[in-house]
């Protein structure tokens, strides 16, 4: 990701790339105080589950999957006939997305992107509302990417949390990457940030313990 917004590209670390290539964890985000957030590599490398599909059903027009990871959502949307592009800073993630038949580019959301201002839907799933450690800056950037009246569907933390932290990717076995800024926000915290930026909530739901919000610009 752009070093203007992040100290280091979070998913360009060996533990993440290895996990994507092997399609399995363990993998965590580790805070400086030792707190660990498990990352669901196996789920990301499987096909879309019921929670994923509930989010994909909200998609309108051309879809930009921000932080597409191993590509399951891009591939599913392409198979359903959507024009869809995944972006990710991980070469391993982009390569896997392309192998699944999806279109993907190794870019940060803060880089110049194709069709800026023309995307019908932007996706920030699998915790990607945390990209850059500043949800306000991220939502401002997404507003530049979607068309007028465009949609953003974001996955929020299932708890009422609002935190800005520095973390590193860690495999739990001694390999870890560089520190980078991250954020975790629940639905209420996200809406507090989104409304003053011109995002209007149009749907909120939960499936399988995962929480989602759709917002319209």
């Amino acid at each position: 990701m752009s070093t203007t917004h992040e100290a280091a590209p979070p998913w360009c670390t060996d533990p993440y790339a290895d996990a994507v290539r092997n399609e399995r964890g363990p993998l965590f985000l580790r805070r400086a105080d030792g707190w660990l957030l498990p990352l669901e590599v196996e789920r990301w490398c499987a096909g879309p589950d019921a929670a994923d599909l509930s989010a994909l059903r909200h998609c309108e027009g051309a879809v930009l999957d921000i932080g597409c990871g191993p590509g399951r959502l891009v591939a599913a949307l392409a198979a359903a006939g959507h024009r869809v592009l995944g972006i990710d800073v991980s070469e391993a993630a982009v390569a896997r997305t392309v192998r699944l038949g999806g279109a993907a580019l190794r870019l940060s959301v803060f880089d110049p992107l194709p069709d800026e201002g023309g995307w019908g839907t932007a996706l920030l799933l699998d915790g990607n509302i945390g990209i850059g450690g500043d949800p306000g800056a991220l939502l401002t950037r997404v507003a530049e990417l979607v068309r007028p009246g465009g949609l953003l569907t974001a996955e929020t933390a299932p708890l009422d949390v609002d935190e800005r932290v520095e973390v590193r990717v860690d495999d739990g076995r001694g390999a870890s990457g560089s520190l980078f800024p991250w954020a975790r926000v629940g639905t209420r915290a996200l809406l507090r940030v989104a409304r003053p930026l011109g995002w209007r909530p149009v749907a909120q739901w939960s499936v399988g313990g995962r929480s989602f919000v759709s917002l319209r610009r």
Side-chain angles (χ1 to χ4, degrees):
M1 292 188 179
S2 169
T3 55
T4 302
H5 295 267
E6 298 185 42
W11 303 123
C12 286
T13 57
D14 286 342
Y16 179 75
D18 289 345
V20 169
R21 293 188 188 104
N22 295 327
E23 301 188 358
R24 65 179 184 272
L27 200 66
F28 308 90
L29 293 183
R30 179 186 289 273
R31 262 188 342 217
D33 63 5
W35 174 91
L36 293 174
L37 176 69
L39 299 177
E40 300 180 85
V41 178
E42 290 85 353
R43 178 173 67 78
W44 297 345
C45 291
D49 61 16
D52 294 328
L53 294 175
S54 76
L56 299 189
R57 283 194 288 270
H58 286 259
C59 290
E60 303 172 354
V63 181
L64 180 66
D65 185 4
I66 299 167
C68 67
R72 74 190 189 285
L73 304 179
V74 174
L77 286 165
H82 283 272
R83 183 168 75 87
V84 54
L85 175 68
I87 59 170
D88 204 290
V89 296
S90 165
E91 182 178 0
V94 168
R96 189 178 188 278
T97 300
V98 172
R99 286 200 302 274
L100 291 179
L105 295 173
R106 188 181 179 187
L107 291 169
S108 161
V109 65
F110 297 110
D111 291 333
L113 296 178
D115 299 329
E116 293 204 12
W119 296 97
T121 302
L123 297 177
L124 285 167
L125 304 188
D126 299 327
N128 284 329
I129 191 63
I131 288 173
D134 184 344
L138 182 56
L139 291 175
T140 298
R141 176 58 177 147
V142 174
E144 300 170 346
L145 299 174
V146 299
R147 67 191 182 197
L151 197 68
L152 165 63
T153 293
E155 184 172 351
T156 56
L159 304 174
D160 187 19
V161 62
D162 186 4
E163 65 178 11
R164 315 290 183 268
V165 294
E166 284 202 330
V167 295
R168 63 179 80 238
V169 177
D170 190 305
D171 70 358
R173 295 169 294 193
S176 63
S178 302
L179 282 171
F180 60 91
W182 197 250
R184 293 177 67 228
V185 293
T187 296
R188 289 202 297 180
L190 177 59
L191 294 181
R192 283 197 301 269
V193 174
R195 286 189 176 104
L197 297 174
W199 289 100
R200 175 174 56 89
V202 293
Q204 300 176 43
W205 70 99
S206 296
V207 177
R210 297 168 60 195
S211 299
F212 302 89
V213 179
S214 281
L215 308 134
R216 196 173 297 280
R217 176 66 176 168

